[in-house]
Amino acid sequence: DAGVTQSPTHLIKTRGQQVTLRCSPKSGHDTVSWYQQALGQGPQFIFQYYEEEERQRGNFPDRFSGHQFPNYSSELNVNALLLGDSALYLCASSFGTGTFNQPQHFGDGTRLSIL
Amino acid sequence: KNEVEQSPQNLTAQEGEFITINCSYSVGISALHWLQQHPGGGIVSLFMLSSGKKKHGRLIATINIQEKHSSLHITASHPRDSAVYICAVRPSGGGADGLTFGKGTHLIIQP
């Protein structure tokens, strides 16, 4: 039973570029949430996708966008990268929309470095 | 002020000791999660609580809704328990903020 998988594991970009991160949820899960974790900090909620729509969003600018596909996998896109976007980006899956009252299964994350 | 506060921030203990990590929050919640994060980033969900107490192996989690406080206990601690332990809450009231996380407690268990 595959857990949550994220790709790539590491990525280096320069300021102003665009990046796409990918997440495949745990088998049987239909909801994907994305988080940003700066070094030494707890994760911050970016947004959640269910039924191919963004259902909830944290306090992140429009440069952060996403998509969910019919197979429940998801992408996180960040445009016009800033140095402050350097972080570990975590994906978590669960079953059922808006249900942070369900256990969240996390991937190992994508470490994004902006030069 | 962070809505979720954890204490201590750092904890070093000897193998076998009983460990307690605390989490206090300032908002009404519908659920509280305890997570474990190992070096390199991977996060494992340990518990999800809305009331009372849960136990899994050597780990015990308790929550007091009235006092807005939760504790994570580790009995007979082992070096492999060394990790960052993170408390996260789901605010109640239908807000669209997802989970709110504490900054984590960095635990080191020495042999």
Side-chain angles (χ1 to χ4, degrees):
Chain A
D1 179 19
V4 179
T5 58
Q6 291 187 244
S7 63
T9 54
H10 295 85
L11 199 53
I12 299 175
K13 291 283 188 179
T14 58
R15 283 181 297 175
Q17 284 189 311
Q18 178 265 342
V19 69
T20 297
L21 310 181
R22 295 177 176 82
C23 172
S24 293
K26 179 180 168 65
S27 178
H29 286 182
D30 58 5
T31 302
V32 173
S33 302
W34 286 92
Y35 301 87
Q36 180 195 64
Q37 186 177 25
L39 199 61
Q41 302 293 316
Q44 301 256 327
F45 173 68
I46 303 175
F47 43 51
Q48 182 189 70
Y49 275 84
Y50 172 73
E51 288 187 338
E52 302 179 49
E53 290 188 11
E54 184 183 294
R55 297 291 178 159
Q56 299 188 49
R57 189 180 182 93
N59 188 25
F60 278 80
D62 293 344
R63 298 187 297 110
F64 289 77
S65 63
H67 189 77
Q68 187 178 35
F69 299 94
N71 67 353
Y72 308 122
S73 67
S74 176
E75 290 182 348
L76 164 65
N77 301 293
V78 187
N79 295 321
L81 287 166
L82 303 173
L83 291 177
D85 296 331
S86 295
L88 179 69
Y89 288 84
L90 293 159
C91 166
S93 73
S94 59
F95 179 76
T97 177
T99 54
F100 290 101
N101 303 341
Q102 295 290 331
Q104 301 284 300
H105 293 254
F106 286 82
D108 288 338
T110 293
R111 187 160 299 282
L112 175 63
S113 298
I114 310 301
L115 302 180
Chain B
K1 182 180 182 298
N2 198 16
E3 291 179 331
V4 180
E5 298 281 352
Q6 289 186 234
S7 62
Q9 291 184 353
N10 298 282
L11 178 58
T12 299
Q14 295 298 121
E15 183 173 357
E17 288 189 36
F18 181 81
I19 303 300
T20 296
I21 298 171
N22 297 299
C23 174
S24 296
Y25 50 92
S26 57
V27 297
I29 68 168
S30 57
L32 181 143
H33 298 253
W34 279 104
L35 309 167
Q36 180 193 56
Q37 186 170 32
H38 282 281
I43 290 180
V44 175
S45 177
L46 299 175
F47 296 103
M48 188 192 66
L49 296 163
S50 55
S51 65
K53 174 181 175 179
K54 287 190 176 180
K55 184 177 188 293
H56 183 69
R58 296 182 293 106
L59 301 178
I60 303 166
T62 64
I63 189 168
N64 185 317
I65 296 294
Q66 287 73 29
E67 295 186 2
K68 293 186 168 61
H69 180 270
S70 176
S71 292
L72 176 67
H73 305 285
I74 305 175
T75 62
S77 61
H78 190 276
R80 65 175 174 266
D81 298 325
S82 299
V84 177
Y85 291 84
I86 302 172
C87 170
V89 301
R90 166 59 168 159
S92 57
D97 293 335
L99 289 176
T100 301
F101 294 77
K103 293 185 177 181
T105 294
H106 190 189
L107 174 65
I108 297 174
I109 304 297
Q110 295 178 335

